Amino acid sequence: FVGRRYHTESPSARPSTSTRLRQALPVRVFFRHSPHARRFNDLPSTRRGVGFLAADTPPLIRPCCAPPQMAHAHAVFAAFAAPFTRRVTPSTTRHRATGRVPTRALAAPSSERRGRGRGSGGGTPRLTGTDFANGRAIQSDLTSSTDPRVILDVVGKHASEFDPIHAATAMHRLATHARSQRDREAVVGDKRFKELMLVVQKKLPKMNSQGLANVAWACAKLEHHPADTLLTEIAEGLANELRGGVQSTGKARETKSQAVSNTVWAFGQLRFSPGSDLLVSLAASVAPLLKKFKAQELSNVLLGFAYLEFDPGAVFFDQAMRATLDNLTSFEGQETSNLLWACARIGRAPPGEVIDGLLIRDAAQNLGGSSSPLNMSQCLWACAKLNKTPPAQYMAAVESEIPRCASRLNLENVDCVLWALASLQTPLKTEAMSSLTTAAARLGDRMDAEMLVKTHWAFARLRHRPDPGDMNLIVSAAKRLVGELPDEDRLTVMHAWGVLRVNPGDDVVREFTKTFRSGEDDQSTDGGEKSLDGASCAKLLCAYGRTRHQPPPVHALRLAQRLVEEAENDVLHPSAATLGLWGASLLGLKMSSAQLDVLARDAVSQDTKLAPRSLAKIVWALAALGYDPTAADLAKLRTRSASAFPRLAAKDQEALREALSRLGERDLDFVGNAA
């Protein structure tokens, strides 16, 4: 029993052949011995004569009804089916050998379904006759194929017959099923793909937004950068449709949110900008539609703009954040991390309730499960970039997740997490920090110079000292990369070793500092210690002292002299003075009274810039260096110490009391009164 039912008893009521073609439905067959045969025979006799059958139907497929009632139907169907029956040979077809065109190829596409499939796109007029049947067969071959080689075979055989829908579908199917890098390279390098791109270029003006999006998305997935003219035409076509462009039929096109997000995302992946004017136009046209966007579409469109380093403007961003807040429960790990990362790259901070809501939901979803390393690192990086501390629930989830996923963390994950935690000054609990450090050490042989420096900087800022085994692996990376580090980065690594009180080995320290040392008889005005400012000299002195490395005496004294010179010129920062004096005291340098007078008077003059604990360190260092102040200088130190004393911790108060006593202060009653 085949086709749409109508009564053959009233020939005058039958529709025309063209109408019957548009109304045709998929095949329904009742076999003689099937369970449906009994139900069909139970029908009233007036219903059994309903239907039609192809003229070349084999004997196996026979209607279970009386022949007189089917004779007219048989003839009618044969009359309209024959013109659309293509010639079939066993060597070129995969259809049944009946010579009959599949019913799917005969069914006319309704306007409601056009463009809804992911592989569609294009406003071509409806075809009739053999052309229509062939077009549907080509589309069927494309959508049913899951092997890129088979899809390329279809392109090779029928590219000249492609319409806009076929071209967009072929691109989409190739990108969908070329999953590995090897497959993508094979597809892009195939001459049939080049032929397809020529067809796409020709059919592009007739594609709607979905077809344009499919082409752009496919190029991005295949990592194929087509001609800029093609991508510009896609952008212009999308912008025109968003502005209210019409199809050839005169009907306004409805632009789907997925088409917009996929196109912008593809431009971002390809790092292609159609120009600021066109991007501004796209953003302005899309902004009112954002309330209809789903979670993935919101994150993708922002991600595309972020890759292009384009700020879509306050209106667009506000609408996007409102849509995000409305769809908060739809966001999953990847959408959350992509959206926050994109906002940080664009430089616009979402409202606090949006960030907290997304992160709390992400924590409830186990930070994305198997994707937690990527999602977690991107979210933490974005929060640090936006200067927003994540909510406590999220940080608790991070502390629980890092030990579980540490073995799956890659270089980029570790880099982002360490940098974010250090920037936010939010150390994790011991177990999580140890796991993170172990992951960094495991990747030491793959570290580059930039990551080596950032890792040391983060450990120093977090005051986290790696276990000896992990530290040895990280030091091995430092030995390997020392030749690639500029002077500033070498200083950063040296300072980190000092903060952590880690001695990587005297040979390693000498290698890291050899460019800062000049010869004993070197009188040049540049190079060596002369190339360093006061802050750099202070870092080196403190690092030498804390790592218990004894530098050449001449080198250490020249560093101290650079501190004195900047203090005399009032350009020495209080923190540099603190570090320098502290390092000099740890090394036991022999500095003159004149040098110590300059440094002490500079410290006393820093009324507001010098923190109480820094003052206590300076006073202690001066006492350790054997400073013998004048009565006036001692009185000034006493006054500053009395002001800072109440704000010091108990151990720092005791150290300050002892240092003042060594400097000659006998009246320490002010200390007790201040306390």
Side-chain angles (χ1 to χ4, degrees):
F1 178 63
V2 187
R4 188 178 184 88
R5 290 179 294 187
Y6 62 91
H7 289 282
T8 58
E9 296 175 355
S10 303
S12 61
R14 292 197 305 274
S16 64
T17 300
S18 60
T19 301
R20 295 199 303 277
L21 178 60
R22 290 196 301 269
Q23 294 177 344
L25 294 178
V27 177
R28 292 173 292 177
V29 179
F30 288 170
F31 294 95
R32 182 179 300 276
H33 300 293
S34 71
H36 302 288
R38 180 182 55 81
R39 295 194 334 217
F40 183 85
N41 288 328
D42 291 339
L43 293 174
S45 59
T46 55
R47 298 294 301 275
R48 296 181 190 171
V50 179
F52 37 78
L53 191 65
D56 56 352
T57 302
L60 179 61
I61 307 177
R62 291 293 184 182
C64 301
C65 56
Q69 294 174 305
M70 288 297 297
H72 184 69
H74 189 171
V76 169
F77 185 76
F80 87 84
F84 306 103
T85 303
R86 60 178 178 174
R87 192 180 298 257
V88 179
T89 60
S91 60
T92 60
T93 183
R94 290 179 287 109
H95 301 301
R96 290 185 299 272
T98 59
R100 181 167 49 86
V101 177
T103 308
R104 179 169 53 180
L106 293 174
S110 65
S111 59
E112 180 183 359
R113 294 183 59 187
R114 183 187 299 271
R116 294 180 65 178
R118 295 185 65 186
S120 64
T124 56
R126 291 178 180 176
L127 304 175
T128 59
T130 305
D131 291 339
F132 174 77
N134 291 341
R136 292 292 290 177
I138 292 172
Q139 185 73 357
S140 174
D141 287 343
L142 290 172
T143 55
S144 62
S145 301
T146 58
D147 188 334
R149 294 169 296 182
V150 176
I151 299 171
L152 288 173
D153 285 342
V154 177
V155 172
K157 294 177 182 177
H158 302 290
S160 61
E161 306 172 50
F162 274 17
D163 61 19
I165 295 179
H166 297 146
T169 302
M171 290 291 294
H172 187 277
R173 299 294 289 179
L174 285 172
T176 300
H177 296 292
R179 295 184 174 90
S180 67
Q181 184 66 30
R182 182 178 179 180
D183 287 345
R184 289 189 289 270
E185 292 175 355
V187 167
V188 173
D190 195 290
K191 64 179 182 179
R192 292 166 295 184
F193 179 78
K194 295 178 175 61
E195 183 180 2
L196 175 60
M197 290 304 301
L198 293 176
V199 174
V200 168
Q201 180 75 57
K202 181 179 179 181
K203 302 296 183 181
L204 212 59
K206 295 184 179 180
M207 291 186 186
N208 62 11
S209 59
Q210 189 66 43
L212 298 173
N214 283 343
V215 172
W217 179 87
C219 289
K221 291 290 286 185
L222 291 170
E223 301 174 9
H224 169 68
H225 198 300
D228 287 354
T229 54
L230 185 144
L231 295 175
T232 301
E233 189 172 352
I234 290 176
E236 291 173 347
L238 178 62
N240 178 58
E241 186 167 315
L242 286 168
R243 287 192 299 266
V246 297
Q247 303 183 54
S248 58
T249 58
K251 296 181 180 179
R253 288 174 172 169
E254 179 184 356
T255 305
K256 297 180 180 179
S257 56
Q258 186 187 35
V260 176
S261 66
N262 283 357
T263 304
V264 176
W265 176 86
F267 287 166
Q269 295 296 312
L270 295 170
R271 305 298 192 272
F272 168 77
S273 174
S276 58
D277 293 341
L278 195 50
L279 288 175
V280 169
S281 175
L282 280 174
S285 300
V286 170
L289 307 177
L290 289 174
K291 59 186 177 182
K292 299 180 181 179
F293 277 42
K294 299 176 183 177
Q296 185 181 22
E297 294 162 355
L298 285 167
S299 63
N300 278 356
V301 73
L302 285 170
L303 196 63
F305 284 141
Y307 277 129
L308 297 178
E309 298 180 355
F310 170 73
D311 184 351
V315 174
F316 180 96
F317 193 78
D318 290 344
Q319 291 290 341
M321 292 304 102
R322 289 194 184 98
T324 300
L325 204 56
D326 293 341
N327 288 282
L328 209 58
T329 57
S330 301
F331 275 81
E332 297 183 358
Q334 184 177 0
E335 288 87 8
T336 294
S337 61
N338 284 348
L339 185 138
L340 292 178
W341 184 89
C343 291
R345 281 292 300 268
I346 291 172
R348 289 188 176 272
E353 58 181 339
V354 172
I355 296 179
D356 290 346
L358 289 172
L359 293 180
I360 290 173
R361 176 170 174 78
D362 194 31
Q365 295 175 332
N366 195 27
L367 304 181
S370 60
S371 301
S372 62
L374 176 61
N375 297 336
M376 177 177 56
S377 60
Q378 284 189 340
C379 288
L380 288 173
W381 182 90
C383 288
K385 196 74 174 175
L386 297 170
N387 196 26
K388 174 70 169 67
T389 302
Q393 300 96 313
Y394 186 80
M395 294 307 300
V398 168
E399 289 177 334
S400 299
E401 182 64 18
I402 284 181
R404 290 198 294 265
C405 71
S407 61
R408 295 185 283 118
L409 294 175
N410 59 28
L411 284 171
E412 185 178 359
N413 302 150
V414 174
D415 187 10
C416 288
V417 173
L418 281 175
W419 180 86
L421 294 175
S423 299
L424 294 170
Q425 292 187 295
T426 308
L428 303 176
K429 293 180 180 178
T430 304
E431 183 185 5
M433 284 303 303
S434 297
S435 299
L436 188 58
T437 305
T438 301
R442 171 176 55 83
L443 299 167
D445 59 341
R446 285 178 275 169
M447 279 187 183
D448 59 9
E450 181 182 0
M451 184 176 176
L452 176 75
V453 175
K454 291 168 72 174
T455 299
H456 280 85
W457 172 83
F459 286 152
R461 192 171 176 87
L462 294 170
R463 298 297 192 272
H464 175 71
R465 184 178 182 178
D467 295 334
D470 293 337
M471 195 68 228
N472 288 337
L473 292 174
I474 296 173
V475 168
S476 297
K479 292 179 182 179
R480 175 173 55 85
L481 296 169
V482 61
E484 303 178 23
L485 298 177
D487 290 350
E488 184 179 357
D489 289 344
R490 293 187 184 193
L491 280 171
T492 301
V493 175
M494 281 293 301
H495 178 63
W497 287 337
V499 172
L500 301 174
R501 288 175 170 78
V502 171
N503 188 335
D506 289 342
D507 58 332
V508 178
V509 173
R510 283 192 291 269
E511 186 67 23
F512 266 77
T513 59
K514 66 180 182 180
T515 59
F516 308 132
R517 296 191 305 270
S518 55
E520 293 186 9
D521 300 328
D522 190 355
Q523 301 297 324
S524 63
T525 58
D526 56 356
E529 296 84 1
K530 292 291 185 181
S531 64
L532 302 175
D533 58 10
S536 300
C537 291
K539 286 181 179 180
L540 265 183
L541 284 171
C542 192
Y544 288 148
R546 285 175 168 171
T547 60
R548 299 182 180 182
H549 172 77
Q550 286 295 332
V554 175
H555 171 58
L557 288 174
R558 285 174 177 172
L559 293 175
Q561 181 58 33
R562 290 287 294 135
L563 289 176
V564 174
E565 291 172 0
E566 292 207 353
E568 287 178 329
N569 296 323
D570 293 329
V571 294
L572 185 65
H573 194 275
S575 63
T578 304
L579 282 177
L581 280 171
W582 184 262
S585 65
L586 292 175
L587 291 172
L589 292 184
K590 302 298 182 182
M591 299 180 68
S592 67
S593 296
Q595 290 176 320
L596 293 175
D597 278 337
V598 172
L599 293 173
R601 290 166 186 169
D602 182 74
V604 171
S605 66
Q606 305 287 349
D607 292 331
T608 58
K609 296 180 180 179
L610 198 62
R613 193 164 186 269
S614 297
L615 175 68
K617 285 185 174 183
I618 287 178
V619 175
W620 189 93
L622 289 170
L625 290 169
Y627 177 49
D628 185 14
T630 63
D633 289 338
L634 182 59
K636 291 179 180 178
L637 284 175
R638 180 180 182 274
T639 302
R640 287 298 314 276
S641 298
S643 174
F645 196 84
R647 293 176 286 169
L648 292 172
K651 65 176 183 178
D652 294 329
Q653 290 179 345
E654 186 61 30
L656 181 58
R657 189 196 304 271
E658 180 183 347
L660 286 171
S661 177
R662 292 174 62 183
L663 289 173
E665 180 62 47
R666 296 292 176 262
D667 182 12
L668 298 176
D669 291 342
F670 78 91
V671 176
N673 295 335

